[in-house]
Amino acid sequence: MTPPPTEALLFEVPPPPTSVERLLHLADQYTQHNDALDLVLRTTATSGPNTHADSALRTAASTQSAIKAIQGERLYESAELTETVMRLQQLAFLATASADLRAGTARQLTALAPEAAVSCAVTLATEMRRRRWASAAPVADHRLTAVQCEALTQIARGHVVVGSSLEREFTRSREPKVLMSTLRSLETRGLVERSTDSAHPAYVGGPPQDRVRLTETGIASLASVLELPPARPSAAPGTTPRPLPAAAQATARSR
């Protein structure tokens, strides 16, 4: 088989991440940074202020890059968009400041950063969808169920880890809980992966747990779902109002 010409290969490069995808990448970076600090805090070794400085500064630089990407979208200003940029600037400031602090204090400064980054991604996706034609939005991954979408969001926020006990695996997450069956279905599709022994133990003296993270494909799928317009609420089963009794109907007509 004749190999393709070198010139053709130069053009077969993946497209750059969207601004929403950048924010999901940023959330993952903050989660990894926090996990590293957690492991440092749970070791007996003494940690100085420089233990995490490089990671903190890299995360701050990534936050600034995400801000520039949003500004490069040239969206009309709104309160929501302004607040999103301000929140990201605050994250960059906190990450930079944490580089000069010891691990315990530094961990507090970036504790809520992953969730904040995902919230910014949701707001930005909504703003971009509202201001542009629907045809300009990326194609949503309609194969995802509502449960899978929620699981991907929980994972993006850094809320899901996997541990084991008595040779059985289990997930640890916030509500709504991410079930092991859901996680395995996402792993089968290549949307999530585990970072072995990277998360803090479930109990003092226990082994590290596995952090669940979005893959590149998972980030793209979640970003496409975030950019969908909100679904219209449907009536819950059993909430359809029953017809009034005949006497009540007559009373109502006489009013």
Side-chain angles (χ1 to χ4, degrees), residues 14-83:
T18 65
S19 296
V20 175
E21 291 171 354
R22 280 179 179 271
L23 292 179
L24 295 178
H25 276 289
L26 184 65
D28 177 63
Q29 189 173 350
Y30 273 110
T31 297
Q32 293 183 70
H33 174 73
N34 289 344
D35 280 343
L37 284 173
D38 283 336
L39 294 180
V40 167
L41 292 171
R42 283 165 173 77
T43 61
T44 57
T46 302
S47 61
N50 295 326
T51 303
H52 58 280
D54 291 341
S55 174
L57 294 177
R58 283 195 302 270
T59 306
S62 297
T63 308
Q64 293 290 359
S65 296
I67 293 173
K68 291 180 180 178
I70 294 174
Q71 293 171 337
E73 297 285 352
R74 298 186 180 278
L75 300 173
Y76 289 106
E77 290 188 8
S78 67
E80 293 80 6
L81 189 61
T82 299
E83 290 172 0

Short mmCIF file of all heavy atoms in Angstrom, two decimals, residues 14-83:
data_model
loop_
_atom_site.label_atom_id
_atom_site.label_comp_id
_atom_site.label_asym_id
_atom_site.label_seq_id
_atom_site.Cartn_x
_atom_site.Cartn_y
_atom_site.Cartn_z
N PRO A 14 -6.20 17.23 14.55
CA PRO A 14 -7.49 17.46 15.19
C PRO A 14 -7.73 18.95 15.38
O PRO A 14 -6.80 19.74 15.54
CB PRO A 14 -7.34 16.74 16.54
CG PRO A 14 -5.86 16.68 16.79
CD PRO A 14 -5.24 16.55 15.44
N PRO A 15 -8.99 19.35 15.35
CA PRO A 15 -9.29 20.78 15.55
C PRO A 15 -8.95 21.19 16.97
O PRO A 15 -8.97 20.37 17.90
CB PRO A 15 -10.80 20.86 15.30
CG PRO A 15 -11.30 19.47 15.59
CD PRO A 15 -10.19 18.55 15.16
N PRO A 16 -8.62 22.46 17.20
CA PRO A 16 -8.31 22.91 18.56
C PRO A 16 -9.55 22.81 19.44
O PRO A 16 -10.67 22.87 18.94
CB PRO A 16 -7.88 24.37 18.34
CG PRO A 16 -8.54 24.77 17.05
CD PRO A 16 -8.57 23.54 16.20
N PRO A 17 -9.36 22.66 20.74
CA PRO A 17 -10.53 22.56 21.63
C PRO A 17 -11.33 23.85 21.63
O PRO A 17 -10.78 24.94 21.48
CB PRO A 17 -9.89 22.29 23.00
CG PRO A 17 -8.50 22.83 22.90
CD PRO A 17 -8.09 22.60 21.48
N THR A 18 -12.62 23.72 21.79
CA THR A 18 -13.47 24.90 21.91
C THR A 18 -13.24 25.54 23.27
O THR A 18 -12.60 24.96 24.16
CB THR A 18 -14.94 24.52 21.76
OG1 THR A 18 -15.32 23.68 22.88
CG2 THR A 18 -15.18 23.77 20.47
N SER A 19 -13.78 26.72 23.45
CA SER A 19 -13.62 27.40 24.74
C SER A 19 -14.29 26.61 25.87
O SER A 19 -13.78 26.57 27.00
CB SER A 19 -14.22 28.81 24.67
OG SER A 19 -13.51 29.60 23.74
N VAL A 20 -15.43 25.99 25.56
CA VAL A 20 -16.10 25.17 26.57
C VAL A 20 -15.25 23.96 26.93
O VAL A 20 -15.10 23.60 28.10
CB VAL A 20 -17.49 24.73 26.07
CG1 VAL A 20 -18.15 23.77 27.06
CG2 VAL A 20 -18.38 25.95 25.85
N GLU A 21 -14.66 23.32 25.92
CA GLU A 21 -13.79 22.17 26.18
C GLU A 21 -12.56 22.58 26.97
O GLU A 21 -12.08 21.83 27.84
CB GLU A 21 -13.39 21.53 24.86
CG GLU A 21 -14.53 20.83 24.14
CD GLU A 21 -14.17 20.38 22.74
OE1 GLU A 21 -13.05 20.72 22.27
OE2 GLU A 21 -15.00 19.70 22.11
N ARG A 22 -12.04 23.77 26.70
CA ARG A 22 -10.89 24.27 27.47
C ARG A 22 -11.23 24.35 28.96
O ARG A 22 -10.41 24.01 29.82
CB ARG A 22 -10.47 25.65 26.97
CG ARG A 22 -9.64 25.66 25.70
CD ARG A 22 -9.31 27.08 25.30
NE ARG A 22 -8.48 27.14 24.12
CZ ARG A 22 -7.14 27.12 24.13
NH1 ARG A 22 -6.50 27.06 25.28
NH2 ARG A 22 -6.47 27.20 23.00
N LEU A 23 -12.43 24.79 29.27
CA LEU A 23 -12.83 24.92 30.67
C LEU A 23 -12.98 23.55 31.33
O LEU A 23 -12.67 23.39 32.51
CB LEU A 23 -14.12 25.72 30.78
CG LEU A 23 -14.02 27.20 30.40
CD1 LEU A 23 -15.37 27.88 30.50
CD2 LEU A 23 -12.99 27.92 31.28
N LEU A 24 -13.45 22.57 30.58
CA LEU A 24 -13.54 21.21 31.13
C LEU A 24 -12.15 20.62 31.34
O LEU A 24 -11.91 19.91 32.32
CB LEU A 24 -14.37 20.32 30.20
CG LEU A 24 -15.85 20.72 30.06
CD1 LEU A 24 -16.56 19.81 29.07
CD2 LEU A 24 -16.56 20.71 31.41
N HIS A 25 -11.23 20.91 30.42
CA HIS A 25 -9.83 20.51 30.63
C HIS A 25 -9.27 21.20 31.88
O HIS A 25 -8.54 20.58 32.66
CB HIS A 25 -8.98 20.90 29.41
CG HIS A 25 -9.02 19.91 28.30
ND1 HIS A 25 -8.41 18.68 28.36
CD2 HIS A 25 -9.60 19.97 27.07
CE1 HIS A 25 -8.59 18.03 27.24
NE2 HIS A 25 -9.32 18.79 26.42
N LEU A 26 -9.61 22.45 32.06
CA LEU A 26 -9.13 23.21 33.21
C LEU A 26 -9.64 22.61 34.51
O LEU A 26 -8.89 22.50 35.49
CB LEU A 26 -9.57 24.67 33.08
CG LEU A 26 -9.06 25.62 34.18
CD1 LEU A 26 -7.54 25.76 34.11
CD2 LEU A 26 -9.72 26.99 34.01
N ALA A 27 -10.90 22.22 34.53
CA ALA A 27 -11.46 21.58 35.73
C ALA A 27 -10.68 20.32 36.08
O ALA A 27 -10.37 20.06 37.25
CB ALA A 27 -12.93 21.26 35.50
N ASP A 28 -10.34 19.53 35.05
CA ASP A 28 -9.56 18.31 35.27
C ASP A 28 -8.16 18.64 35.80
O ASP A 28 -7.64 17.95 36.68
CB ASP A 28 -9.46 17.52 33.96
CG ASP A 28 -8.61 16.27 34.11
OD1 ASP A 28 -8.97 15.38 34.89
OD2 ASP A 28 -7.55 16.19 33.43
N GLN A 29 -7.57 19.70 35.29
CA GLN A 29 -6.24 20.09 35.75
C GLN A 29 -6.26 20.50 37.22
O GLN A 29 -5.37 20.14 37.99
CB GLN A 29 -5.70 21.23 34.89
CG GLN A 29 -4.23 21.56 35.15
CD GLN A 29 -3.69 22.57 34.16
OE1 GLN A 29 -4.32 22.91 33.16
NE2 GLN A 29 -2.49 23.08 34.42
N TYR A 30 -7.30 21.23 37.62
CA TYR A 30 -7.42 21.61 39.03
C TYR A 30 -7.65 20.38 39.90
O TYR A 30 -7.14 20.30 41.03
CB TYR A 30 -8.57 22.60 39.21
CG TYR A 30 -8.17 24.04 39.02
CD1 TYR A 30 -8.60 24.76 37.90
CD2 TYR A 30 -7.36 24.69 39.95
CE1 TYR A 30 -8.23 26.09 37.72
CE2 TYR A 30 -6.99 26.02 39.77
CZ TYR A 30 -7.43 26.71 38.66
OH TYR A 30 -7.05 28.03 38.48
N THR A 31 -8.43 19.42 39.40
CA THR A 31 -8.66 18.20 40.17
C THR A 31 -7.36 17.43 40.39
O THR A 31 -7.08 16.96 41.50
CB THR A 31 -9.68 17.29 39.44
OG1 THR A 31 -10.93 17.98 39.35
CG2 THR A 31 -9.89 16.00 40.19
N GLN A 32 -6.55 17.31 39.34
CA GLN A 32 -5.26 16.62 39.49
C GLN A 32 -4.36 17.37 40.47
O GLN A 32 -3.66 16.74 41.28
CB GLN A 32 -4.58 16.53 38.12
CG GLN A 32 -5.29 15.63 37.13
CD GLN A 32 -4.52 15.53 35.82
OE1 GLN A 32 -3.45 14.93 35.75
NE2 GLN A 32 -5.05 16.15 34.78
N HIS A 33 -4.38 18.69 40.39
CA HIS A 33 -3.57 19.50 41.30
C HIS A 33 -4.00 19.27 42.75
O HIS A 33 -3.17 19.06 43.65
CB HIS A 33 -3.71 20.97 40.93
CG HIS A 33 -3.03 21.91 41.87
ND1 HIS A 33 -1.65 22.05 41.95
CD2 HIS A 33 -3.53 22.77 42.81
CE1 HIS A 33 -1.34 22.94 42.87
NE2 HIS A 33 -2.48 23.38 43.41
N ASN A 34 -5.32 19.28 42.99
CA ASN A 34 -5.82 19.07 44.34
C ASN A 34 -5.53 17.66 44.84
O ASN A 34 -5.22 17.46 46.02
CB ASN A 34 -7.33 19.34 44.37
CG ASN A 34 -7.66 20.81 44.23
OD1 ASN A 34 -6.80 21.66 44.40
ND2 ASN A 34 -8.90 21.10 43.92
N ASP A 35 -5.64 16.67 43.96
CA ASP A 35 -5.34 15.30 44.35
C ASP A 35 -3.89 15.16 44.78
O ASP A 35 -3.57 14.47 45.76
CB ASP A 35 -5.63 14.34 43.18
CG ASP A 35 -7.11 14.01 43.04
OD1 ASP A 35 -7.86 14.25 44.00
OD2 ASP A 35 -7.51 13.53 41.96
N ALA A 36 -3.00 15.80 44.04
CA ALA A 36 -1.57 15.74 44.40
C ALA A 36 -1.34 16.36 45.77
O ALA A 36 -0.57 15.84 46.58
CB ALA A 36 -0.73 16.45 43.33
N LEU A 37 -2.01 17.46 46.06
CA LEU A 37 -1.89 18.09 47.37
C LEU A 37 -2.46 17.19 48.46
O LEU A 37 -1.88 17.09 49.56
CB LEU A 37 -2.61 19.43 47.38
CG LEU A 37 -1.91 20.59 46.68
CD1 LEU A 37 -2.81 21.82 46.63
CD2 LEU A 37 -0.60 20.93 47.38
N ASP A 38 -3.56 16.53 48.18
CA ASP A 38 -4.16 15.63 49.16
C ASP A 38 -3.21 14.51 49.54
O ASP A 38 -3.08 14.14 50.72
CB ASP A 38 -5.45 15.03 48.62
CG ASP A 38 -6.61 16.01 48.66
OD1 ASP A 38 -6.56 16.95 49.49
OD2 ASP A 38 -7.55 15.85 47.87
N LEU A 39 -2.53 13.94 48.54
CA LEU A 39 -1.59 12.86 48.82
C LEU A 39 -0.39 13.36 49.61
O LEU A 39 0.12 12.66 50.50
CB LEU A 39 -1.14 12.21 47.51
CG LEU A 39 -2.22 11.47 46.72
CD1 LEU A 39 -1.65 10.87 45.44
CD2 LEU A 39 -2.86 10.38 47.57
N VAL A 40 0.04 14.59 49.32
CA VAL A 40 1.15 15.18 50.09
C VAL A 40 0.74 15.36 51.54
O VAL A 40 1.50 15.06 52.48
CB VAL A 40 1.58 16.53 49.48
CG1 VAL A 40 2.49 17.30 50.44
CG2 VAL A 40 2.28 16.31 48.14
N LEU A 41 -0.47 15.83 51.77
CA LEU A 41 -0.95 16.09 53.13
C LEU A 41 -1.14 14.81 53.93
O LEU A 41 -1.16 14.86 55.17
CB LEU A 41 -2.27 16.85 53.08
CG LEU A 41 -2.18 18.29 52.56
CD1 LEU A 41 -3.57 18.86 52.35
CD2 LEU A 41 -1.39 19.15 53.54
N ARG A 42 -1.27 13.68 53.26
CA ARG A 42 -1.51 12.43 53.96
C ARG A 42 -0.26 11.57 54.07
O ARG A 42 -0.34 10.40 54.46
CB ARG A 42 -2.63 11.65 53.26
CG ARG A 42 -4.00 12.21 53.58
CD ARG A 42 -5.07 11.70 52.63
NE ARG A 42 -6.40 12.12 53.05
CZ ARG A 42 -6.90 13.34 52.87
NH1 ARG A 42 -6.14 14.28 52.29
NH2 ARG A 42 -8.11 13.65 53.28
N THR A 43 0.89 12.13 53.72
CA THR A 43 2.15 11.43 53.91
C THR A 43 2.85 11.97 55.14
O THR A 43 2.54 13.06 55.62
CB THR A 43 3.07 11.61 52.68
OG1 THR A 43 3.36 13.02 52.52
CG2 THR A 43 2.41 11.09 51.42
N THR A 44 3.78 11.21 55.65
CA THR A 44 4.50 11.63 56.85
C THR A 44 5.64 12.58 56.53
O THR A 44 6.19 13.22 57.44
CB THR A 44 5.07 10.40 57.58
OG1 THR A 44 5.90 9.66 56.67
CG2 THR A 44 3.92 9.48 58.05
N ALA A 45 5.98 12.69 55.26
CA ALA A 45 7.09 13.56 54.89
C ALA A 45 6.69 15.02 55.05
O ALA A 45 5.56 15.40 54.79
CB ALA A 45 7.53 13.28 53.45
N THR A 46 7.64 15.84 55.46
CA THR A 46 7.40 17.27 55.59
C THR A 46 7.46 17.93 54.23
O THR A 46 8.38 17.71 53.45
CB THR A 46 8.45 17.91 56.51
OG1 THR A 46 8.41 17.27 57.78
CG2 THR A 46 8.16 19.39 56.70
N SER A 47 6.44 18.71 53.92
CA SER A 47 6.39 19.36 52.61
C SER A 47 6.61 20.86 52.77
O SER A 47 6.04 21.49 53.65
CB SER A 47 5.03 19.11 51.94
OG SER A 47 3.99 19.63 52.73
N GLY A 48 7.45 21.40 51.92
CA GLY A 48 7.70 22.84 51.94
C GLY A 48 6.81 23.55 50.95
O GLY A 48 6.01 22.93 50.24
N PRO A 49 6.94 24.85 50.86
CA PRO A 49 6.06 25.63 49.97
C PRO A 49 6.30 25.36 48.50
O PRO A 49 5.46 25.67 47.67
CB PRO A 49 6.40 27.08 50.33
CG PRO A 49 7.77 27.02 50.93
CD PRO A 49 7.85 25.71 51.64
N ASN A 50 7.47 24.81 48.13
CA ASN A 50 7.78 24.60 46.72
C ASN A 50 7.30 23.25 46.21
O ASN A 50 7.48 22.94 45.03
CB ASN A 50 9.29 24.71 46.49
CG ASN A 50 9.80 26.12 46.77
OD1 ASN A 50 9.09 27.09 46.52
ND2 ASN A 50 11.00 26.23 47.28
N THR A 51 6.70 22.42 47.07
CA THR A 51 6.28 21.09 46.66
C THR A 51 5.29 21.15 45.52
O THR A 51 5.32 20.34 44.59
CB THR A 51 5.64 20.35 47.85
OG1 THR A 51 6.58 20.30 48.93
CG2 THR A 51 5.24 18.94 47.46
N HIS A 52 4.40 22.09 45.53
CA HIS A 52 3.32 22.18 44.55
C HIS A 52 3.38 23.47 43.73
O HIS A 52 2.46 23.74 42.96
CB HIS A 52 1.97 22.15 45.28
CG HIS A 52 1.84 23.27 46.27
ND1 HIS A 52 2.41 23.21 47.51
CD2 HIS A 52 1.25 24.48 46.18
CE1 HIS A 52 2.16 24.34 48.15
NE2 HIS A 52 1.46 25.13 47.36
N ALA A 53 4.43 24.27 43.89
CA ALA A 53 4.47 25.59 43.26
C ALA A 53 4.38 25.50 41.74
O ALA A 53 3.62 26.25 41.11
CB ALA A 53 5.75 26.32 43.67
N ASP A 54 5.15 24.60 41.13
CA ASP A 54 5.14 24.50 39.67
C ASP A 54 3.77 24.13 39.15
O ASP A 54 3.29 24.70 38.16
CB ASP A 54 6.18 23.48 39.20
CG ASP A 54 7.61 23.95 39.44
OD1 ASP A 54 7.80 25.16 39.62
OD2 ASP A 54 8.52 23.09 39.43
N SER A 55 3.11 23.17 39.82
CA SER A 55 1.78 22.76 39.40
C SER A 55 0.79 23.91 39.53
O SER A 55 -0.05 24.12 38.65
CB SER A 55 1.31 21.57 40.24
OG SER A 55 -0.03 21.24 39.94
N ALA A 56 0.88 24.67 40.63
CA ALA A 56 -0.03 25.79 40.85
C ALA A 56 0.14 26.86 39.77
O ALA A 56 -0.84 27.40 39.24
CB ALA A 56 0.20 26.39 42.23
N LEU A 57 1.38 27.15 39.42
CA LEU A 57 1.63 28.18 38.42
C LEU A 57 1.21 27.72 37.02
O LEU A 57 0.72 28.52 36.22
CB LEU A 57 3.12 28.57 38.43
CG LEU A 57 3.60 29.26 39.72
CD1 LEU A 57 5.10 29.54 39.66
CD2 LEU A 57 2.83 30.57 39.94
N ARG A 58 1.38 26.43 36.73
CA ARG A 58 0.92 25.92 35.44
C ARG A 58 -0.60 26.00 35.34
O ARG A 58 -1.16 26.35 34.30
CB ARG A 58 1.37 24.46 35.25
CG ARG A 58 2.83 24.29 34.89
CD ARG A 58 3.10 22.89 34.37
NE ARG A 58 2.71 21.87 35.34
CZ ARG A 58 3.53 21.38 36.26
NH1 ARG A 58 4.79 21.81 36.34
NH2 ARG A 58 3.12 20.45 37.10
N THR A 59 -1.27 25.70 36.45
CA THR A 59 -2.73 25.76 36.46
C THR A 59 -3.20 27.19 36.30
O THR A 59 -4.19 27.47 35.59
CB THR A 59 -3.27 25.16 37.77
OG1 THR A 59 -2.73 23.83 37.94
CG2 THR A 59 -4.78 25.07 37.73
N ALA A 60 -2.53 28.12 36.95
CA ALA A 60 -2.88 29.54 36.81
C ALA A 60 -2.69 29.99 35.36
O ALA A 60 -3.52 30.73 34.81
CB ALA A 60 -2.02 30.39 37.74
N ALA A 61 -1.61 29.54 34.72
CA ALA A 61 -1.36 29.91 33.32
C ALA A 61 -2.44 29.33 32.40
O ALA A 61 -2.89 29.99 31.46
CB ALA A 61 0.02 29.42 32.89
N SER A 62 -2.88 28.10 32.69
CA SER A 62 -3.95 27.49 31.90
C SER A 62 -5.25 28.27 32.06
O SER A 62 -6.04 28.39 31.11
CB SER A 62 -4.15 26.03 32.31
OG SER A 62 -3.00 25.26 32.05
N THR A 63 -5.48 28.77 33.26
CA THR A 63 -6.69 29.57 33.51
C THR A 63 -6.66 30.85 32.70
O THR A 63 -7.67 31.26 32.11
CB THR A 63 -6.83 29.88 35.00
OG1 THR A 63 -6.73 28.66 35.76
CG2 THR A 63 -8.16 30.54 35.30
N GLN A 64 -5.51 31.49 32.66
CA GLN A 64 -5.38 32.71 31.87
C GLN A 64 -5.56 32.42 30.38
O GLN A 64 -6.16 33.23 29.65
CB GLN A 64 -4.00 33.34 32.12
CG GLN A 64 -3.79 33.89 33.52
CD GLN A 64 -4.63 35.13 33.80
OE1 GLN A 64 -5.36 35.63 32.95
NE2 GLN A 64 -4.52 35.65 35.01
N SER A 65 -5.07 31.27 29.93
CA SER A 65 -5.26 30.90 28.52
C SER A 65 -6.73 30.69 28.20
O SER A 65 -7.21 31.06 27.12
CB SER A 65 -4.47 29.62 28.20
OG SER A 65 -3.07 29.84 28.35
N ALA A 66 -7.46 30.10 29.16
CA ALA A 66 -8.90 29.90 28.96
C ALA A 66 -9.63 31.23 28.87
O ALA A 66 -10.56 31.40 28.08
CB ALA A 66 -9.47 29.05 30.10
N ILE A 67 -9.20 32.18 29.68
CA ILE A 67 -9.80 33.52 29.63
C ILE A 67 -9.57 34.17 28.27
O ILE A 67 -10.49 34.74 27.66
CB ILE A 67 -9.23 34.40 30.76
CG1 ILE A 67 -9.66 33.88 32.13
CG2 ILE A 67 -9.68 35.86 30.60
CD1 ILE A 67 -9.00 34.59 33.30
N LYS A 68 -8.36 34.06 27.75
CA LYS A 68 -8.05 34.64 26.45
C LYS A 68 -8.86 33.98 25.34
O LYS A 68 -9.29 34.64 24.38
CB LYS A 68 -6.55 34.50 26.16
CG LYS A 68 -5.67 35.37 27.05
CD LYS A 68 -4.21 35.19 26.71
CE LYS A 68 -3.33 36.07 27.60
NZ LYS A 68 -1.87 35.87 27.31
N ALA A 69 -9.09 32.66 25.48
CA ALA A 69 -9.89 31.96 24.48
C ALA A 69 -11.33 32.46 24.48
O ALA A 69 -11.95 32.63 23.43
CB ALA A 69 -9.85 30.45 24.74
N ILE A 70 -11.87 32.69 25.68
CA ILE A 70 -13.24 33.22 25.78
C ILE A 70 -13.32 34.61 25.18
O ILE A 70 -14.25 34.94 24.43
CB ILE A 70 -13.69 33.23 27.25
CG1 ILE A 70 -13.81 31.80 27.78
CG2 ILE A 70 -15.03 33.96 27.40
CD1 ILE A 70 -14.10 31.72 29.24
N GLN A 71 -12.34 35.44 25.50
CA GLN A 71 -12.32 36.79 24.94
C GLN A 71 -12.16 36.76 23.43
O GLN A 71 -12.67 37.65 22.72
CB GLN A 71 -11.20 37.60 25.60
CG GLN A 71 -11.44 37.86 27.08
CD GLN A 71 -10.25 38.47 27.79
OE1 GLN A 71 -9.10 38.34 27.32
NE2 GLN A 71 -10.48 39.14 28.90
N GLY A 72 -11.48 35.74 22.92
CA GLY A 72 -11.31 35.60 21.48
C GLY A 72 -12.58 35.22 20.75
O GLY A 72 -12.65 35.35 19.52
N GLU A 73 -13.59 34.76 21.49
CA GLU A 73 -14.88 34.44 20.86
C GLU A 73 -15.61 35.70 20.40
O GLU A 73 -16.53 35.63 19.59
CB GLU A 73 -15.77 33.67 21.85
CG GLU A 73 -15.22 32.33 22.29
CD GLU A 73 -15.34 31.27 21.21
OE1 GLU A 73 -16.00 31.55 20.18
OE2 GLU A 73 -14.77 30.19 21.38
N ARG A 74 -15.23 36.84 20.99
CA ARG A 74 -15.84 38.14 20.63
C ARG A 74 -17.37 38.12 20.79
O ARG A 74 -18.10 38.57 19.92
CB ARG A 74 -15.46 38.54 19.21
CG ARG A 74 -13.95 38.74 19.02
CD ARG A 74 -13.62 39.27 17.65
NE ARG A 74 -12.18 39.45 17.48
CZ ARG A 74 -11.50 40.52 17.89
NH1 ARG A 74 -12.16 41.50 18.52
NH2 ARG A 74 -10.19 40.61 17.71
N LEU A 75 -17.80 37.57 21.91
CA LEU A 75 -19.22 37.57 22.22
C LEU A 75 -19.62 38.92 22.80
O LEU A 75 -18.82 39.59 23.45
CB LEU A 75 -19.55 36.46 23.23
CG LEU A 75 -19.23 35.03 22.80
CD1 LEU A 75 -19.44 34.08 23.96
CD2 LEU A 75 -20.10 34.62 21.62
N TYR A 76 -20.85 39.31 22.55
CA TYR A 76 -21.33 40.55 23.15
C TYR A 76 -21.34 40.40 24.67
O TYR A 76 -21.67 39.34 25.21
CB TYR A 76 -22.74 40.88 22.65
CG TYR A 76 -22.77 41.32 21.21
CD1 TYR A 76 -23.27 40.48 20.23
CD2 TYR A 76 -22.30 42.57 20.84
CE1 TYR A 76 -23.30 40.87 18.90
CE2 TYR A 76 -22.33 42.98 19.51
CZ TYR A 76 -22.82 42.12 18.55
OH TYR A 76 -22.84 42.51 17.23
N GLU A 77 -20.98 41.48 25.34
CA GLU A 77 -20.90 41.42 26.80
C GLU A 77 -22.28 41.24 27.41
O GLU A 77 -23.28 41.74 26.92
CB GLU A 77 -20.26 42.71 27.34
CG GLU A 77 -18.78 42.83 27.03
CD GLU A 77 -18.14 44.01 27.75
OE1 GLU A 77 -18.82 44.62 28.59
OE2 GLU A 77 -16.98 44.29 27.47
N SER A 78 -22.32 40.49 28.50
CA SER A 78 -23.52 40.30 29.29
C SER A 78 -23.08 40.11 30.73
O SER A 78 -21.90 39.85 31.01
CB SER A 78 -24.33 39.09 28.81
OG SER A 78 -23.61 37.89 29.07
N ALA A 79 -24.02 40.21 31.64
CA ALA A 79 -23.69 40.02 33.05
C ALA A 79 -23.15 38.62 33.28
O ALA A 79 -22.17 38.42 34.02
CB ALA A 79 -24.93 40.27 33.91
N GLU A 80 -23.76 37.63 32.61
CA GLU A 80 -23.33 36.24 32.80
C GLU A 80 -21.91 36.03 32.28
O GLU A 80 -21.09 35.38 32.94
CB GLU A 80 -24.29 35.29 32.09
CG GLU A 80 -25.69 35.24 32.68
CD GLU A 80 -26.55 36.39 32.24
OE1 GLU A 80 -26.10 37.18 31.37
OE2 GLU A 80 -27.68 36.51 32.75
N LEU A 81 -21.62 36.58 31.12
CA LEU A 81 -20.29 36.40 30.53
C LEU A 81 -19.24 37.15 31.35
O LEU A 81 -18.13 36.64 31.57
CB LEU A 81 -20.30 36.89 29.09
CG LEU A 81 -19.04 36.58 28.26
CD1 LEU A 81 -18.85 35.07 28.16
CD2 LEU A 81 -19.17 37.19 26.87
N THR A 82 -19.57 38.35 31.80
CA THR A 82 -18.64 39.12 32.62
C THR A 82 -18.33 38.40 33.92
O THR A 82 -17.17 38.32 34.36
CB THR A 82 -19.22 40.51 32.93
OG1 THR A 82 -19.44 41.20 31.69
CG2 THR A 82 -18.28 41.33 33.80
N GLU A 83 -19.35 37.84 34.55
CA GLU A 83 -19.14 37.11 35.80
C GLU A 83 -18.31 35.85 35.59
O GLU A 83 -17.52 35.47 36.45
CB GLU A 83 -20.49 36.77 36.43
CG GLU A 83 -21.23 37.98 36.97
CD GLU A 83 -22.64 37.64 37.41
OE1 GLU A 83 -23.03 36.45 37.30
OE2 GLU A 83 -23.35 38.55 37.88
#
